[in-house]
Amino acid sequence: MNTSDEAERGLTDIEGFLYWEAHRRTAHRRAADFAGRVAGLSDTQRAEIEGWYVEEQLRVSRSMTQHLTDHLTAVEEHHAKRYAQLRRGAYAATTLITVLILGLCVVVLIGTAG
């Protein structure tokens, strides 16, 4: 792996970390807002609700991210297979056209020489 690839990977890792950290902070804020509207909760109960909500939001996000990753991988594999089929077809057509043109040239050369 060269330096450019390492730098790109590092930036991707940082981007992923910042995304998850922002998501976690948003979940904390939403949980705190929700728990703040519920009357009669003790500080311990409020903290438990916030902790549960944040964990649940992160679990759902991970699940969705994994689902999207799996789907994108499947689509990428499908397109790679289709591209390979199209490429083989194009090579076969090019080869056939080349053979036909060469055959035609040979026929024309024999016809004009004879």
Side-chain angles (χ1 to χ4, degrees):
M1 183 180 291
N2 65 30
T3 306
S4 177
D5 290 340
E6 288 180 25
E8 185 176 332
R9 175 68 180 168
L11 289 174
T12 301
D13 289 347
I14 290 170
E15 181 181 29
F17 171 79
L18 292 174
Y19 169 79
W20 282 108
E21 189 60 26
H23 186 71
R24 189 186 60 75
R25 281 193 309 269
T26 300
H28 269 292
R29 187 175 57 250
R30 290 177 64 197
D33 290 346
F34 171 77
R37 286 182 281 182
V38 178
L41 290 178
S42 69
D43 290 341
T44 303
Q45 290 171 326
R46 187 171 287 117
E48 286 178 8
I49 289 173
E50 289 176 21
W52 173 84
Y53 182 84
V54 170
E55 287 178 23
E56 184 64 15
Q57 286 295 300
L58 293 177
R59 186 191 64 74
V60 169
S61 292
R62 283 187 191 100
S63 176
M64 288 174 43
T65 301
Q66 186 61 51
H67 172 74
L68 288 171
T69 300
D70 294 345
H71 178 71
L72 290 174
T73 300
V75 168
E76 189 176 67
E77 289 172 359
H78 171 76
H79 286 298
K81 287 177 185 176
R82 182 69 180 131
Y83 177 72
Q85 290 173 341
L86 291 171
R87 191 176 57 239
R88 283 191 301 274
Y91 289 155
T94 302
T95 302
L96 178 63
I97 291 170
T98 302
V99 168
L100 289 174
I101 290 174
L102 286 173
L104 182 62
C105 289
V106 168
V107 168
V108 169
L109 285 174
I110 292 174
T112 57

